[in-house]
């Protein structure tokens, strides 16, 4: 069964309790190892999402390759979730030989811990629980060359506040890339 069809089957059988609030809408996906694996596969490989990730990778590669300064680029990924975008971007930037420090964040401590395990061999990565709807750590203010957010900022309670927070984290001349 195609992955997306499988995911629709999973949520379809749980739709009523999820819509009424009787069941957490994320539980059908994250409460079962096989379902979570299917979800990971969708985020990483579904053509609709993959094309945006590849375009973002090309954009970042072109942008960062033309930089004439020195040092590593600080990249923040907000609400990185299962890491589908992260996997591609980190691999792509490494292949291009671009020096970077990549900070993987999510609201969920369990997703951040999973990312630590997944990317344990990549020394240029850091991991943090971060809620874009709350006050960021002062050390992050105006400190990132690039902030990446894919398929998530629209789901915050107040888009204006979330985008304002992200703007405060981008350094002068930096880029906020929302896909």
């Amino acid at each position: 069964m195609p992955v997306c069809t499988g995911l629709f089957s999973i949520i379809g059988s749980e739709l009523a309790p999820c819509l009424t609030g009787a069941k957490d809408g994320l539980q059908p996906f994250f409460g079962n190892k096989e379902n979570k694996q299917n979800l990971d596969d969708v985020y990483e490989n579904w053509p609709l999402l993959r094309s945006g990730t590849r375009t973002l990778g090309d954009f970042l590669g072109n942008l960062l390759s033309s930089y004439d300064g020195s040092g590593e680029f600080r990249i923040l990924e907000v609400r990185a979730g299962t890491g589908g975008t992260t996997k591609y971007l980190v691999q792509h930037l490494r292949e291009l030989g671009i020096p970077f420090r990549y900070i993987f964040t999510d609201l969920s401590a369990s997703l951040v811990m999973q990312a630590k395990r997944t990317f344990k061999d990549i020394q240029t990565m850091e991991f943090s629980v971060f809620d874009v709807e709350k006050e960021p750590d002062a050390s992050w203010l105006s400190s990132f060359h690039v902030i990446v957010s894919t398929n998530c900022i629209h789901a915050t309670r107040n888009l204006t506040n979330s985008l304002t927070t992200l703007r405060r984290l981008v350094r002068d001349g930096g880029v906020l890339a929302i896909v």
Side-chain angles (χ1 to χ4, degrees), residues 74-131:
R74 287 181 47 82
I75 301 169
L76 175 70
E77 185 175 358
V78 177
R79 292 192 177 185
T82 63
T85 299
T86 312
K87 287 176 190 171
Y88 178 77
L89 291 181
V90 167
Q91 177 184 344
H92 186 65
L93 295 174
R94 291 175 83 188
E95 288 171 357
L96 293 173
I98 295 171
F100 63 90
R101 170 74 40 194
Y102 198 103
I103 295 86
F104 177 107
T105 71
D106 198 85
L107 281 169
S108 165
S110 64
L111 288 175
V112 172
M113 290 304 296
Q114 177 62 46
K116 279 184 181 181
R117 288 189 294 274
T118 300
F119 300 106
K120 67 182 180 294
D121 296 327
I122 302 174
Q123 301 303 312
T124 60
M125 288 190 70
E126 298 174 17
F127 306 88
S128 182
V129 173
F130 173 60
D131 184 350

Side-chain angles (χ1 to χ4, degrees), residues 39-57:
L39 188 61
D40 289 349
D41 189 48
V42 166
Y43 280 128
E44 189 174 349
N45 298 309
W46 189 35
L48 183 63
L49 298 176
R50 184 80 170 161
S51 61
T53 300
R54 287 184 177 271
T55 300
L56 178 58

Side-chain angles (χ1 to χ4, degrees), residues 6 46 149 175:
W46 189 35
S149 175
V175 175

Side-chain angles (χ1 to χ4, degrees), residues 1-11 26-47 49 81-84 87 111 114:
M1 169 175 3
V3 174
C4 287
T5 303
L7 291 178
F8 290 136
S9 296
I10 294 163
I11 195 61
L26 296 176
Q27 187 59 35
F29 298 111
F30 291 103
N32 172 299
K33 188 174 183 176
E34 182 180 339
N35 293 351
K36 172 146 179 346
Q37 206 50 41
N38 286 337
L39 188 61
D40 289 349
D41 189 48
V42 166
Y43 280 128
E44 189 174 349
N45 298 309
W46 189 35
L49 298 176
T82 63
K87 287 176 190 171
L111 288 175
Q114 177 62 46

Side-chain angles (χ1 to χ4, degrees), residues 143-155:
S143 69
F144 294 99
H145 293 91
V146 177
I147 297 178
V148 173
S149 175
T150 58
N151 305 306
C152 65
I153 290 298
H154 66 278

